[in-house]
Amino acid sequence: MSFLLVTLFVISSCDTDETQTVATFTNLVMSDEFDTDGALDSELWNHEIGTGVNGWGNNELQYYTDRTENVKVENGYLLITANREDFNGSLYTSARITTQGLFEQAYGRFEARIKVPSGKGIWPAFWLLGNDCETNIWPQCGEIDIMEFLGDNPTTIFGSVHGPGYSAGQAVTKSYTLENDRYDTGFHVFGIEWSPESINYYVDDALYQTITPADVPGEWVFDSKFYIILNVAVGGNFPGAPNDETTFPQSMLVDYVRVYQQ
């Protein structure tokens, strides 16, 4: 797969001032605009159901379902909604959808226009996993977090990579903080541009970090196909549990998901 390196420049947003290489991808190869009300496109999205192992590996508190109470397309948006309710032994429900086995790609631009929910313990994410994670156990298979958000920190998102020797609390990560704005009050475009030599992270038009093989303290495992995940977790090791001030329901709205090649 080819890619185009177009420029080198210096940015200073969020304490970033290193020289960065920008890869531009222009050929749209996957798009879901969420224009048809009702269920998700089953040719593109799977539903993951249940609580996973150890709360999906993070001590999360929700039960993921495929019910319309938790995931649906409405008025041009995908809604993933976390609810407080007793359900199959869990105190919360939500949804987690993936393109595993349906759309998987190495390299390119992956982006989504999202309005995130808010509140202590609310943990929405837009991310990628290596398509061999079922046999090549995480973190060896690789994880690229395009956007993670903690609902009690409304001005900041995180972009990270996880791999062997740099996973979980040791992930290679950087935050991006809005000035005089919040992520939960409007839509923002979260994206990466991924080439064999680097992964660039964007919020809207701002490039805020580049991760290269030289930046990871272990093996670079981002050279195979990955699939997309969108979810809203409740609780877990990263955000902690909801508190008395957390209101429900909380919905993540997704305007579109698009993937490009050069």
Side-chain angles (χ1 to χ4, degrees):
M1 187 180 301
S2 60
F3 62 96
L4 177 65
L5 298 180
V6 294
T7 188
L8 290 172
F9 66 100
V10 176
I11 68 174
S12 58
S13 176
C14 293
D15 300 320
T16 300
D17 59 2
E18 65 267 25
T19 300
Q20 300 183 322
T21 303
V22 179
T24 299
F25 301 84
T26 57
N27 178 30
L28 183 67
V29 294
M30 188 278 270
S31 173
D32 197 335
E33 305 296 319
F34 304 111
D35 289 336
T36 302
D37 285 4
L40 288 169
D41 181 353
S42 62
E43 295 185 357
L44 188 56
W45 299 103
N46 305 296
H47 297 271
E48 294 198 304
I49 305 297
T51 58
V53 177
N54 187 32
W56 301 96
N58 302 302
N59 292 307
E60 297 167 27
L61 302 177
Q62 78 290 322
Y63 193 104
Y64 286 132
T65 87
D66 59 359
R67 304 176 306 156
T68 57
E69 292 93 336
N70 298 116
V71 56
K72 63 183 176 181
V73 178
E74 185 175 78
N75 297 324
Y77 301 109
L78 165 67
L79 281 74
I80 298 180
T81 301
N83 290 292
R84 180 187 284 127
E85 59 178 323
D86 292 333
F87 190 89
N88 287 356
S90 296
L91 296 178
Y92 305 93
T93 61
S94 188
R96 171 166 156 157
I97 63 173
T98 87
T99 64
Q100 185 178 19
L102 301 173
F103 177 83
E104 301 171 346
Q105 178 173 300
Y107 313 131
R109 180 176 176 92
F110 295 71
E111 68 176 25
R113 184 171 182 262
I114 298 172
K115 180 182 177 183
V116 295
S118 63
K120 173 66 176 174
I122 304 299
W123 182 13
F126 168 41
W127 50 301
L128 312 178
L129 273 181
N131 70 346
D132 60 346
C133 276
E134 292 182 0
T135 56
N136 194 24
I137 302 302
W138 186 92
Q140 185 65 41
C141 61
E143 174 181 332
I144 303 172
D145 299 327
I146 301 173
M147 181 279 295
E148 290 185 282
F149 176 79
L150 302 182
D152 61 342
N153 188 7
T155 64
T156 300
I157 58 93
F158 300 88
S160 312
V161 294
H162 301 253
Y166 51 100
S167 62
Q170 285 72 51
V172 178
T173 187
K174 191 165 189 176
S175 64
Y176 184 81
T177 299
L178 294 176
E179 299 294 334
N180 304 313
D181 200 358
R182 299 165 57 115
Y183 287 104
D184 59 344
T185 57
F187 284 89
H188 296 273
V189 177
F190 305 100
I192 59 166
E193 291 187 339
W194 169 26
S195 72
E197 290 83 18
S198 63
I199 304 172
N200 293 330
Y201 283 75
Y202 294 84
V203 174
D204 300 322
D205 295 325
L207 168 62
Y208 71 93
Q209 78 164 328
T210 291
I211 300 174
T212 72
D215 296 316
V216 302
E219 180 185 358
W220 180 260
V221 291
F222 308 103
D223 52 8
S224 61
K225 292 182 178 180
F226 280 54
Y227 61 88
I228 299 168
I229 304 174
L230 288 161
N231 69 293
V232 177
V234 180
N237 300 331
F238 195 25
N243 60 22
D244 292 341
E245 297 179 357
T246 308
T247 61
F248 289 88
Q250 287 289 337
S251 294
M252 176 168 72
L253 278 67
V254 184
D255 185 20
Y256 61 75
V257 176
R258 297 172 184 166
V259 182
Y260 298 82
Q261 294 176 347
Q262 188 268 327

